[in-house]
Amino acid sequence: MKTPTFLTITAPIRKTAAVFFACLFSLITGCSFEPELYPVTGKVTLDGKAYNRLLVYMRPMDETPDKYSLGVGETDVSGKLSLRSTAGNGLKAGTYRVSFSCMVAKGGEVLDGNEKHDDDRTLVTEDIVPEPFCSDTDSTATFEVKPVSTNEFIFDIPGK
């Protein structure tokens, strides 16, 4: 018995069908696309003064945070900032809300960043960053990470 012509599949058609179904499978299961990260550096001060370990947080304004768009960094004694995301050094391009935290001993004594204070149960600390800049949701500080080799974030947090 001879196979009907409409059931006969030639080799070129089989290859095309295989490529088509491989692409369809990739679309259905998802591609492992990782966005490019762009470095964020700069300087942050509080009322004109640099603090060691002043923390800087960046969260995307228009989307749910992910490992490419949730940034954290801290300053050194001169206020120099280097920020990173969970995915690596830098953040993906986009607009971010920026919030800050700077913990000092109650009374204003700046904690030495080289000492471990976590075990000192008598130490009472306070965050000296004023509202709204210490708020994840209400901070008025924003920053746009652009797809360029260097994004410089320079900011002086107004004092209380």
Side-chain angles (χ1 to χ4, degrees):
M1 179 169 196
K2 188 173 180 185
T3 306
T5 309
F6 67 89
L7 293 178
T8 306
I9 300 174
T10 63
I13 293 174
R14 277 189 290 231
K15 288 180 183 176
T16 303
V19 169
F20 171 77
F21 285 112
C23 290
L24 182 62
F25 180 76
S26 293
L27 287 173
I28 291 170
T29 59
C31 299
S32 61
F33 170 74
E34 293 198 13
E36 188 166 350
L37 299 178
Y38 301 99
V40 177
T41 58
K43 184 172 184 171
V44 177
T45 54
L46 175 57
D47 203 21
K49 182 178 177 188
Y51 286 87
N52 190 35
R53 300 194 73 198
L54 187 150
L55 300 176
V56 178
Y57 304 97
M58 291 192 182
R59 293 170 182 79
M61 293 188 66
D62 301 327
E63 63 182 75
T64 303
D66 60 24
K67 69 180 185 177
Y68 310 103
S69 65
L70 188 57
V72 66
E74 68 181 28
T75 60
D76 63 12
V77 293
S78 67
K80 183 179 174 186
L81 170 70
S82 181
L83 193 128
R84 62 175 286 116
S85 66
T86 305
N89 290 326
L91 294 167
K92 68 181 180 181
T95 304
Y96 292 83
R97 179 177 314 280
V98 185
S99 60
F100 309 89
S101 177
C102 186
M103 301 304 288
V104 298
K106 193 82 168 171
E109 176 191 346
V110 177
L111 301 176
D112 181 1
N114 297 323
E115 294 180 24
K116 184 173 181 180
H117 299 283
D118 299 348
D119 296 333
D120 184 354
R121 302 217 188 269
T122 63
L123 181 64
V124 179
T125 61
E126 63 182 330
D127 193 345
I128 60 172
V129 175
E131 289 286 345
F133 299 102
C134 60
S135 172
D136 297 345
T137 56
D138 297 330
S139 177
T140 56
T142 61
F143 184 69
E144 183 180 357
V145 175
K146 297 179 181 177
V148 294
S149 61
T150 302
N151 287 277
E152 192 170 26
F153 179 73
I154 308 290
F155 195 79
D156 181 39
I157 306 162
K160 292 183 178 182

